Amino acid sequence: MGKIGLMIDYEYCTGCQSCELACKNEHGFPLDKWGIKMMEFGPFEMEEGKLEWNYLPFPTSYCDLCAERVKSGGIPTCALHCLANVIEWGPVDELLKKLEEKGSKTVIFLP
């Protein structure tokens, strides 16, 4: 398997922070440390009467893509517990193919 990454479609992220909490629980991180951190952007007035407000789960340098879970056949806990189902993981070449089909509010992260 080639380089592994996360693909996050933040157009549909609700900001629920379930990825953040699942990661903290999985790794036992203290309150001031995150493997994935929810970032909030907005609200921004895009045009008269139209606001945009985005949430972006952002993997930190502590993210190891849940190496132990994956080694035993699981998937990264952030992807497993994402309530909006916007976090995917896998080989980067496969994620890039999926990225082409998605909108502009999708990003790929490599830990």
Side-chain angles (χ1 to χ4, degrees), residues 34-50:
W34 296 269
I36 190 166
K37 176 75 174 130
M38 181 62 63
M39 306 300 286
E40 184 176 340
F41 302 100
F44 302 106
E45 187 167 20
M46 300 304 288
E47 56 188 57
E48 184 71 32
K50 183 178 178 188

Side-chain angles (χ1 to χ4, degrees), residues 5-8 19-20 23 29 34-39 56-65 76 78 87-88 107-111:
L6 290 176
M7 183 171 71
I8 302 173
C19 59
E20 194 177 78
C23 179
F29 291 144
W34 296 269
I36 190 166
K37 176 75 174 130
M38 181 62 63
M39 306 300 286
L56 177 61
F58 192 86
T60 73
S61 60
Y62 296 113
C63 176
D64 66 355
L65 286 174
C78 61
I87 301 176
E88 295 183 51
V107 294
I108 293 178
F109 293 99
L110 304 172

Side-chain angles (χ1 to χ4, degrees), residues 25-86:
N25 288 335
E26 178 76 20
H27 296 287
F29 291 144
L31 291 176
D32 61 345
K33 186 176 177 182
W34 296 269
I36 190 166
K37 176 75 174 130
M38 181 62 63
M39 306 300 286
E40 184 176 340
F41 302 100
F44 302 106
E45 187 167 20
M46 300 304 288
E47 56 188 57
E48 184 71 32
K50 183 178 178 188
L51 296 177
E52 184 160 330
W53 202 328
N54 294 306
Y55 299 96
L56 177 61
F58 192 86
T60 73
S61 60
Y62 296 113
C63 176
D64 66 355
L65 286 174
C66 293
E68 291 300 314
R69 286 179 61 85
V70 170
K71 188 168 40 171
S72 64
I75 67 172
T77 195
C78 61
L80 178 66
H81 292 283
C82 177
L83 298 177
N85 201 28
V86 299

